[in-house]
Amino acid sequence: VPSMLRRVAKQLAAASVAARPGGAPSARTFTSSSARATTVLCVRKDGDVVLMADGQVTLGSQVVKPNVKKVRRLQAGVIGGFAGATADAFTLFERLEMKLDEHPGQLTRAAVELAKAWRNDKYLRRLEATMVVADAEHIFQITGGGDVIEPHEGIVGIGSGGPFATAAARALMDVPGMSAADICRKAMTIAADTCVYTNHNFVTETIGPDDAKHEGETKDKDAETKDKKKDKK
């Protein structure tokens, strides 16, 4: 009986593969398990942008590392964080940095171009991660489905504890005297107390008014360079 069941299982598997276009295995999809094991929160308030993430990595029911860095500074005035597979996320960060080099000072265009490539490229579409990127003016959540979402309240949270952190940050936004960093830390603490896949080892990247000023000067210089090239032509 066991041998007969194994033969039936193999036949069913072969029939399933043959039924797919070209008989090829289906591409990986972004599953709920890929979104777990982290909380990343980004808050913009009074000219400050704060991106904060916990440090826990979970494999099944086991905590394998408590202090992973899930946020980074991509360029001057641009920061990013991720939830999902680490190698996939760093590959996507590299692609975003390339897009930013092609479109300096234009995070919106770079994010859209990355989302297009992520959805259409047969290799990139297999990458499992969700990203949050921000500059002084914009915050974007980018997914492999081609989504580029800009929150209207200046708050975005991703990962298993993202909904908890987002809800807490929204409740704290109107509290007098609380800065973006204060809101982020309190909201992340609430998420860490609620979500089993999130710990209290927070890593932070910030963009302040000085970074925004520097970014504006960079955009002006890029525009002047383009104008000079046009005049020469």
Side-chain angles (χ1 to χ4, degrees), residues 161-176:
F164 307 122
T166 301
R170 285 177 176 171
L172 296 169
M173 276 297 275
D174 298 329
V175 176

Side-chain angles (χ1 to χ4, degrees), residues 95-116:
R95 290 297 185 111
L96 180 59
E97 288 174 344
M98 291 170 59
K99 298 298 181 183
L100 287 169
D101 289 337
E102 294 174 9
H103 312 290
Q106 302 179 58
L107 179 61
T108 302
R109 184 171 180 182
V112 171
E113 292 297 325
L114 174 64
K116 287 165 59 178

Side-chain angles (χ1 to χ4, degrees), residues 18-231:
R20 298 184 188 124
S26 59
R28 289 191 301 171
T29 57
F30 187 65
T31 61
S32 59
S33 62
S34 302
R36 296 194 309 196
T38 191
T39 300
V40 181
L41 178 67
C42 189
V43 175
R44 182 176 67 242
K45 183 179 181 181
D46 298 333
D48 292 322
V49 180
V50 178
L51 181 63
M52 189 176 293
D54 79 302
Q56 180 170 313
V57 172
T58 308
L59 185 61
S61 59
Q62 179 185 6
V63 177
V64 294
K65 198 167 184 179
N67 59 348
V68 171
K69 185 176 181 180
K70 303 171 187 175
V71 297
R72 61 182 293 192
R73 187 168 297 271
L74 302 176
Q75 289 187 354
V78 180
I79 54 181
F82 71 90
T86 304
D88 292 356
F90 276 87
T91 299
L92 292 167
F93 276 142
E94 291 175 359
R95 290 297 185 111
L96 180 59
E97 288 174 344
M98 291 170 59
K99 298 298 181 183
L100 287 169
D101 289 337
E102 294 174 9
H103 312 290
Q106 302 179 58
L107 179 61
T108 302
R109 184 171 180 182
V112 171
E113 292 297 325
L114 174 64
K116 287 165 59 178
W118 192 352
R119 180 176 176 83
N120 296 326
D121 189 282
K122 65 180 181 180
Y123 297 109
L124 290 181
R125 74 174 62 147
R126 295 173 62 85
L127 302 182
E128 296 183 355
T130 299
M131 302 172 63
V132 172
V133 294
D135 61 10
E137 300 175 358
H138 306 283
I139 301 173
F140 295 111
Q141 178 181 345
I142 310 173
T143 71
D147 300 315
V148 180
I149 304 169
E150 183 174 14
H152 69 283
E153 294 179 332
I155 301 170
V156 62
I158 61 173
S160 56
F164 307 122
T166 301
R170 285 177 176 171
L172 296 169
M173 276 297 275
D174 298 329
V175 176
M178 289 198 74
S179 65
D182 295 333
I183 292 170
C184 244
R185 182 163 295 278
K186 182 61 176 177
M188 285 292 295
T189 300
I190 293 172
D193 291 339
T194 309
C195 176
V196 297
Y197 297 104
T198 303
N199 67 11
H200 292 80
N201 293 336
F202 304 141
V203 179
T204 306
E205 288 286 353
T206 62
I207 299 174
D210 294 337
D211 295 303
K213 182 179 179 181
H214 176 73
E215 185 179 355
E217 292 174 352
T218 302
K219 289 181 180 179
D220 293 338
K221 288 180 180 179
D222 292 334
E224 290 177 3
T225 303
K226 289 181 180 179
D227 291 338
K228 288 180 181 179
K229 289 181 178 179
K230 289 181 181 178
D231 293 338

